Amino acid sequence: MKIQAKFKVGTHQNSSNIPTIVQGSKCPSGPAMINTFSGGFDYTYDWPIHYQPLDTQNQSLCQAYMDVSPKETTGDEKVIMMLHGKNFCSQTWNATAKVMLDQGYRVILPDQIGFCKSDKPDSYQFSLHQLALNTKTILDTLGVKRLTVMGHSMGGMLSARFALMYPEMVDRLVMVDPIGLEDWKAKGVPYLPIDDIYRQEAASNYTSISGYENATYYINNWKPEYDVWVNMLLKVYDGSLADTYAFNQALVTDMVYTQPIVYELPLLGDIPNSLLIVGDKDNTAIGKQWSPPDVQATLGHYDVLGREAAQAIGGNCTLIHYPNLGHAPQISDPDIFHQNLTGWLNETD
């Protein structure tokens, strides 16, 4: 039986009395957590931070998240969870979160273990399954049974894994430029030892981060407002747990390199409604920078990968693609992104 996917083209503060997380400590809680910081990350978020205790891999860790409700609710609660990418934090979703709040959604925004305001363990077996389980623990604590799951980049990869593990919880799935739509190792990307990746991560600075994001996220169309997200990352890379964070990021890179979702995309066809949003000029590919030129040329063609992924998922998947955008359409053209996102959500409500 031939499965046809649907396609749609889009147009173009720190205070001494604020508690912080100490590795292995009891997670802080209570109203004093408004705009707190933790994990070597002194950065103010838009909404109060909560912490989920996790007993995981023989460690007691704390996972940060925001849980924000709309000012007005009408009848049944609508919930959306937004999962961040590797070079992002939950705060990066702030503009989209505000749009969803205006649409009447309760918004849940986790920081994954190893990232941003969450604990950064000295050693951890990072896997998409583990991160999905950690995230579900937050939802279980909050009593959320069913929701829309949306993720960007690595978060798109993770949202797919979450949907595969817990399909009974996922009413709608939204993936924004997810990585893992191709198997980089099978295409010839050589394995780079974690120690080597760690050294690259530890050397991150404004020039390396902004240069990569300009070429991949914004297609050499840099705007001054993008600096806020580079400076956010630098707060972690230069924080008190900088070395641990860099090592965690090396482990995360190994995770996404070894765990592509491309082979399981057809299984997502069981989700009632799924939306795949991609910028056709996105060229993200893990390991591209350490691959030989002939391999580099085959990687990260999202104008092709998006269509292939939508067809693999099948008839319940809608593809919205932007011919002139890159890896972060929600940042580079938020107006059209939010128009398309809310339109699809309303259509499938």
Side-chain angles (χ1 to χ4, degrees):
M1 181 174 65
K2 184 176 180 180
I3 298 177
Q4 192 102 28
K6 296 175 285 182
F7 293 85
K8 187 175 180 181
V9 180
T11 43
H12 186 72
Q13 326 202 290
N14 184 15
S15 172
S16 59
N17 63 352
I18 294 178
T20 61
I21 286 184
V22 179
Q23 300 298 90
S25 72
K26 182 179 178 181
C27 301
S29 62
M33 294 316 300
I34 294 178
N35 290 335
T36 189
F37 66 91
S38 67
F41 184 45
D42 182 1
Y43 193 88
T44 300
Y45 279 18
D46 280 6
W47 297 286
I49 307 300
H50 307 277
Y51 292 97
Q52 174 65 47
L54 296 173
D55 290 325
T56 168
Q57 300 187 23
N58 204 30
Q59 302 177 72
S60 294
L61 302 177
C62 303
Q63 182 167 359
Y65 66 95
M66 293 179 280
D67 177 17
V68 194
S69 294
K71 293 180 180 179
E72 298 182 5
T73 56
T74 56
D76 295 336
E77 182 180 61
K78 299 187 295 184
V79 184
I80 186 168
M81 178 172 65
M82 303 179 184
L83 304 178
H84 64 78
K86 179 184 179 296
N87 293 325
F88 298 89
C89 302
S90 58
Q91 172 66 12
T92 319
W93 278 119
N94 65 337
T96 304
K98 291 172 183 176
V99 171
M100 291 296 97
L101 289 168
D102 288 343
Q103 294 283 316
Y105 282 83
R106 176 184 180 183
V107 181
I108 299 170
L109 301 131
D111 277 345
Q112 297 303 323
I113 289 296
F115 288 82
C116 306
K117 291 185 181 291
S118 289
D119 259 333
K120 298 166 183 62
D122 292 331
S123 179
Y124 201 67
Q125 177 63 53
F126 280 92
S127 70
L128 294 172
H129 290 78
Q130 179 69 70
L131 298 185
L133 173 60
N134 295 346
T135 302
K136 181 178 181 292
T137 303
I138 294 173
L139 298 177
D140 289 344
T141 296
L142 297 176
V144 175
K145 302 295 184 184
R146 197 155 179 87
L147 74 166
T148 297
V149 179
M150 179 166 70
H152 168 243
S153 191
M154 181 201 77
M157 197 180 193
L158 176 57
S159 62
R161 177 57 55 202
F162 186 95
L164 291 169
M165 291 175 67
Y166 310 111
E168 72 284 354
M169 297 185 70
V170 180
D171 183 45
R172 289 173 294 191
L173 172 65
V174 182
M175 296 177 289
V176 182
D177 286 85
I179 56 176
L181 299 183
E182 57 187 336
D183 187 341
W184 304 293
K185 59 187 185 300
K187 286 191 167 184
V189 174
Y191 181 76
L192 191 68
I194 290 171
D195 298 293
D196 292 345
I197 302 173
Y198 161 71
R199 283 187 281 272
Q200 291 182 359
E201 291 283 350
S204 296
N205 55 38
Y206 177 85
T207 300
S208 65
I209 295 171
S210 62
Y212 172 76
E213 292 189 357
N214 188 31
T216 304
Y217 298 179
Y218 311 118
I219 316 303
N220 297 312
N221 186 27
W222 189 263
K223 298 178 183 178
E225 55 262 36
Y226 301 154
D227 275 339
V228 65
W229 306 124
V230 178
N231 291 328
M232 178 191 70
L233 271 185
L234 289 174
K235 286 278 190 178
V236 202
Y237 277 111
D238 296 337
S240 60
L241 294 174
D243 286 342
T244 306
Y245 174 71
F247 185 64
N248 283 179
Q249 293 303 296
L251 296 175
V252 167
T253 298
D254 185 78
M255 172 189 78
V256 297
Y257 169 80
T258 57
Q259 299 174 37
I261 59 171
V262 59
Y263 303 114
E264 295 167 281
L265 291 175
L267 300 177
L268 294 174
D270 293 334
I271 301 300
N273 291 287
S274 60
L275 173 63
L276 178 61
I277 302 176
V278 299
D280 285 348
K281 292 190 175 180
D282 187 358
N283 53 42
T284 303
I286 300 301
K288 187 176 183 178
Q289 66 271 38
W290 66 73
S291 297
D294 61 325
V295 173
Q296 289 184 15
T298 69
L299 304 175
H301 297 287
Y302 269 74
D303 54 337
V304 176
L305 293 173
R307 289 165 172 76
E308 291 178 345
Q311 290 173 339
I313 295 170
N316 289 329
C317 180
T318 298
L319 172 67
I320 297 176
H321 64 102
Y322 303 113
N324 297 311
L325 297 182
H327 188 61
Q330 76 276 26
I331 297 174
S332 54
D333 197 340
D335 290 340
I336 192 63
F337 176 85
H338 292 138
Q339 177 184 325
N340 291 156
L341 173 63
T342 56
W344 181 82
L345 290 171
N346 290 333
E347 288 174 6
T348 55
D349 206 353

